[in-house]
Amino acid sequence: MENLLEVRSLCKHYKSFSLDHVDLTVPAGTIVGLIGENGAGKTTTIKAALNVVRPDGGTIRLLGGDPADPRCRAGAAVVFEDSYFYGGLTPRQVSRSMAGICREWDGDAFDRLCRRFDLLQRQPLKEFSRGMRMKLSLATALARHPRLLVLDEATSGLDPVVRGEILDLFLEFIQDEGCGVLFSSHITTDLERVADQIAYLHRGRLLFQEDKDTLLEELGVLRCSAADMATLPEGTVLARRDGALGASALVRDPAQVRRLLPGAVVDRVSIDEMMQFYGGGEAK
Ligand code: ATP
């Protein structure tokens, strides 16, 4: 399968933070959800991968070429949480100016998206709510017919109805198998709903990029005594937390753990819980 974005060993150093040899891919036909705690490096990864900030090391292939090449960047559309237009403009004026600067601009597609999102062509953007501004950013991104759509925290602060509309749009977008989406979010239920793969950044390092269904099936949350937990084979416990009510652990191969510890509880894991284990627990 073709990779729309291929990031290998990406490094970026700031005074008090480093991205440390991050690998990340977005295969065509796939929605990749990028998760990680606040400050884990998601925005930095996205910016460095798209040449918004200059990487200090690593290689990046964007749509088969160099992200510094404007022809490659033209096939990718990016929406940041705060990427808004000047408030005095209306959607109609946005469309006119985009038509002037962007060869791929499809004004009819933009109008269709505005109608779908109930955005009025003549309303100034300063009167838009946060959800409306985000919908406008998305309509603007999609009206260029990109192959790769990248969104950084685009659904944060939006109500469930608006988020649902945006997620539906992602799913429609990747019906064209040549297209793909990379989106970072703290709303893990959104990722559980639409992401095909989950990439997890933790303190500037990529812990894993995995198929979401495999990940959620192959991992479980074990609750038992610390003594029982200690009897499990090496490599079974990935991270653990000790609380007042006993120990809990993120474990590999829940079926095997149930066989080995018949009295113990092994629940399905959610992405939220997984992050709590890796972010707050003792990761192995
Ligand atoms: P959040 O979920 O809170 O948005 P994030 O995972 O997107 O976080 P980044 O915005 O990539 O994290 O920031 C990672 C780290 O890099 C932070 O510690 C931040 O202070 C630092 N950082 C980001 N941009 C710069 C910059 N221009 N100069 C110095 N440090 C920076």
Side-chain angles (χ1 to χ4, degrees), residues 34 36 42-43 46 79-81 130 134 151-157 183-187:
L34 182 60
K42 302 178 295 297
T43 302
I46 288 173
V79 177
F80 290 107
E81 190 180 3
R130 185 181 161 79
M134 186 43 70
L151 304 104
D152 189 23
E153 280 298 333
T155 55
S156 69
F183 84 111
S184 78
S185 180
H186 288 295
I187 306 176

Side-chain angles (χ1 to χ4, degrees), residues 163-178:
R163 294 207 322 272
E165 288 177 79
I166 290 175
L167 297 179
D168 285 345
L169 208 60
F170 292 178
L171 292 170
E172 284 169 35
F173 178 68
I174 57 143
Q175 290 311 303
D176 178 344
E177 299 226 324

